[in-house]
Amino acid sequence: FYNYYENFPYLKDRIVNSIENIIKTDSFEIDYFKEEFQFTEYNVGGFYKWHKDTDDKNDVQSNRFCSIVIQLNDDYEGGKLQILDGDEIELESGIGNLYVFYSSMIHRVTPITKGTRYSLVNWLSYKKNNEVKKSFL
């Protein structure tokens, strides 16, 4: 497996800095990148069906909070990242785009019709923050 942290040491820091202001939590802390980045390659005909990135029956996936996708190229056709949120939402393609969405959201990658699609995928997990004081209003 290609170690992105070793070859691009700034990658983790850039991603963490990019999303820290987006994700706000009160009673738990974000646990960044417990899993290695997954390099994905979709060739012509390749796709990923509608799914969620969480699974209560799987220890690794049960604490996934947010999914992260980094688009590495755009010289392909098809391969759209879509999210179901009442309607189908198609995310805009672009090299270097960083997509962050709740891991519990249903999403897919449509079939590639030309070229090859490359991306990096990872997940943010959470851990309970016992330091937070709860109060009633």
Side-chain angles (χ1 to χ4, degrees):
F1 182 80
Y2 188 78
N3 187 334
Y4 286 94
Y5 298 141
E6 193 173 292
N7 294 290
F8 301 100
Y10 58 87
L11 181 62
K12 180 179 177 181
D13 290 338
R14 284 196 69 188
I15 293 169
V16 169
N17 290 336
S18 295
I19 62 178
E20 270 189 335
N21 293 326
I22 297 170
I23 300 171
K24 304 292 183 197
T25 62
D26 289 325
S27 59
F28 58 92
E29 294 178 32
I30 300 298
D31 195 0
Y32 290 96
F33 311 122
K34 287 177 68 172
E35 301 174 60
E36 291 289 327
F37 271 91
Q38 175 182 312
F39 176 78
T40 61
E41 177 180 331
Y42 294 89
N43 295 304
V44 172
F47 67 96
Y48 210 105
K49 65 182 180 176
W50 290 111
H51 68 285
K52 296 179 184 181
D53 289 339
T54 58
D55 183 351
D56 291 337
K57 297 175 187 166
N58 179 310
D59 287 341
V60 173
Q61 294 179 4
S62 64
N63 286 335
R64 287 180 178 173
F65 175 63
C66 285
S67 298
I68 298 172
V69 178
I70 303 170
Q71 188 172 349
L72 300 179
N73 70 319
D74 64 0
D75 55 345
Y76 59 90
E77 293 177 12
K80 299 295 184 180
L81 178 58
Q82 297 177 331
I83 296 175
L84 277 182
D85 189 24
D87 295 320
E88 281 183 21
I89 300 169
E90 189 167 283
L91 302 180
E92 184 178 330
S93 297
I95 295 173
N97 281 3
L98 170 68
Y99 310 105
V100 180
F101 53 92
Y102 292 115
S103 298
S104 59
M105 296 182 83
I106 298 171
H107 59 285
R108 72 174 175 180
V109 175
T110 62
I112 299 292
T113 57
K114 181 179 179 184
T116 304
R117 178 187 189 271
Y118 301 105
S119 62
L120 291 176
V121 179
N122 208 322
W123 302 270
L124 302 180
S125 296
Y126 60 88
K127 56 185 175 184
K128 192 74 174 160
N129 182 352
N130 294 322
E131 301 293 318
V132 172
K133 297 183 192 251
K134 297 183 180 182
S135 61
F136 293 99
L137 297 176

